Amino acid sequence: LLYRATHISRHLFHLACVCCFSLLLARPCPCPMPPPAAAAAGEKRYKTLAEFYPFYLKEHSNTVNRRLHFVGTLLGHIFLIYFISQAQYARIPLAFLPGYACAWIGHFIFEKNKPATFKYPLFSLMSDFKLFYSIVLGKHRL
């Protein structure tokens, strides 16, 4: 059983590497995205996801940042399914690590802004999923 789990983990790692490199090295996104958010003197407080999501899209205008978010969310889904299928319920919180790691790398290195997770953790997570599924369904392009 340990060999099987290690073997599956190795395949998941290779899949993650292939996804990262193929998405990061692909051509820039041809779809129009909102420009980066300008620093506002009076910062707005968002009360609903509908108000927050346009701000979220502005904070993710960099193509590499969006791709890293997509890869991180995809890996999170893969690890979540794996942990549940292997009845490793105590490890489920670890499924969030690739998503946050990829997102924070995207924000700090490529987008050069602070992730909205620090001020709006729930709206940010919900928006990550919303963007992920809109990419999967073809509504947004990487």
Side-chain angles (χ1 to χ4, degrees):
L1 184 63
L2 180 61
Y3 171 77
R4 183 172 172 240
T6 306
H7 186 69
I8 290 171
S9 297
R10 191 175 305 126
H11 284 294
L12 288 174
F13 176 74
H14 289 289
L15 175 66
C17 290
V18 169
C19 287
C20 288
F21 287 118
S22 65
L23 287 170
L24 291 175
L25 298 177
R27 294 184 340 192
C29 176
C31 62
M33 289 295 291
E43 218 173 285
K44 180 179 177 176
R45 295 293 304 167
Y46 300 100
K47 296 179 181 163
T48 66
L49 183 62
E51 290 177 1
F52 177 78
Y53 194 63
F55 166 75
Y56 175 87
L57 290 177
K58 289 177 189 171
E59 294 292 307
H60 296 81
S61 60
N62 182 280
T63 304
V64 176
N65 186 26
R66 281 194 316 276
R67 289 177 179 166
L68 282 168
H69 276 69
F70 182 82
V71 168
T73 304
L74 176 64
L75 291 175
H77 281 78
I78 290 170
F79 284 121
L80 180 66
I81 291 167
Y82 175 74
F83 293 146
I84 291 172
S85 70
Q86 299 297 311
Q88 296 179 1
Y89 304 115
R91 292 188 179 185
I92 287 176
L94 296 175
F96 290 95
L97 289 179
Y100 282 111
C102 289
W104 290 357
I105 289 169
H107 282 289
F108 290 123
I109 295 175
F110 297 101
E111 191 82 49
K112 306 222 186 293
N113 63 12
K114 192 165 113 178
T117 303
F118 298 123
K119 286 190 179 179
Y120 302 97
L122 187 58
F123 284 161
S124 182
L125 180 63
M126 292 166 51
S127 295
D128 281 342
F129 288 138
K130 186 173 180 174
L131 180 62
F132 177 81
Y133 288 112
S134 67
I135 290 169
V136 169
L137 296 173
K139 295 178 183 176
H140 272 88
R141 294 181 63 199
L142 287 175

